Amino acid sequence: MGAVKNKRMPRAVREQQMLDAAVRTFGQRGYRSASMDEIADLAGVSKPLVYLYLNSKEDLFTACIRREAAALTTAVRAGVQPGLPADRQLWAGLRAFFTHTAENPDGWAVLHRQARTHGEPFAAEVAAMREELVAFVTQLIVVAAREAHRDPSLAEREVAGLAEALVGAAESLAAWANATPGVSAKQAAATLMNFAWAGLGDLMENRPWTPPQD
């Protein structure tokens, strides 16, 4: 009798292997410099199989963005426990964000550097992820306003602006932390928490900073 053939690897598992290899390659080499040959070799498959599963380099990169964006937003949401005080919720969300970006530097490079700098359709994918994060942070700030016995609709536009600023700061700080030896996810989260919460605390207590009269 002939040797028993190995079972074929399920398509979903094989596809994840390809995405793992692609994220690593795109994250470290950049979208333009990365080659499908290199990705196929790293994944341990033939280049035609990569094209069969994921159609093109553009579609492969888009799939990487979507997977990494979903993983990041899921990690942040999972890190926050509803019912905790507002500062603890924000701290947990920031720590989850920085932990994920530190543990997945190639994925973060794909989202933060590569996707944004190569135009559409990639930039739109990252923008959708960012909108979800901003909406989530907005709700955390609204919770803080309620805890401070302030009108949560007090400054809808102001709250939205604060959420945008906080997410933008987190993105920049994550890139800096990943490039700076010795900076842990906890340290990065604490840096932003100290910067943000002091200002938010004053705002929620009706002590906003007022610009000088020109």
Side-chain angles (χ1 to χ4, degrees):
M1 294 178 63
V4 177
K5 293 183 178 180
N6 292 329
K7 291 183 178 180
R8 293 179 61 187
M9 184 176 293
R11 180 186 177 106
V13 175
R14 179 72 76 188
E15 188 170 310
Q16 288 306 308
Q17 284 187 337
M18 295 178 190
L19 289 175
D20 288 342
V23 167
R24 180 176 173 184
T25 306
F26 288 134
Q28 295 181 9
R29 292 180 52 76
Y31 175 68
R32 297 198 186 283
S33 298
S35 71
M36 296 295 271
D37 288 296
E38 187 177 6
I39 291 168
D41 185 60
L42 187 60
V45 300
S46 66
K47 185 167 72 170
L49 190 61
V50 177
Y51 279 109
L52 177 65
Y53 275 41
L54 293 151
N55 301 320
S56 67
K57 184 178 180 180
E58 180 178 301
D59 286 348
L60 174 58
F61 191 50
T62 299
C64 289
I65 295 169
R66 289 175 179 170
R67 190 187 76 165
E68 296 307 306
L72 176 57
T73 54
T74 297
V76 172
R77 288 184 177 278
V80 177
Q81 298 180 33
L84 290 178
D87 62 328
R88 294 285 301 279
Q89 289 192 48
L90 183 58
W91 163 248
L94 289 175
R95 191 164 183 185
F97 177 88
F98 287 109
T99 297
H100 185 86
T101 55
E103 292 178 350
N104 300 274
D106 294 333
W108 180 239
V110 165
L111 294 174
H112 185 63
R113 290 204 312 268
Q114 299 302 323
R116 289 180 168 181
T117 57
H118 292 291
E120 301 300 346
F122 312 132
E125 296 287 344
V126 176
M129 174 202 73
R130 198 173 191 281
E131 286 178 9
E132 183 175 347
L133 287 174
V134 168
F136 185 62
V137 172
T138 297
Q139 289 305 307
L140 295 182
I141 295 174
V142 168
V143 168
R146 287 176 181 156
E147 284 192 1
H149 308 292
R150 299 280 307 281
D151 180 359
S153 62
L154 153 78
E156 184 176 334
R157 187 162 48 186
E158 187 171 14
V159 169
L162 288 169
E164 285 278 357
L166 189 57
V167 171
E171 291 170 338
S172 296
L173 190 57
W176 173 81
N178 281 1
T180 305
V183 178
S184 68
K186 184 177 181 180
Q187 288 171 326
T191 295
L192 187 53
M193 187 69 187
N194 281 316
F195 179 76
W197 193 253
L200 284 172
D202 281 346
L203 184 62
M204 298 309 169
E205 293 298 329
N206 202 21
R207 296 193 303 270
W209 179 81
T210 303
Q213 296 293 329
D214 292 333

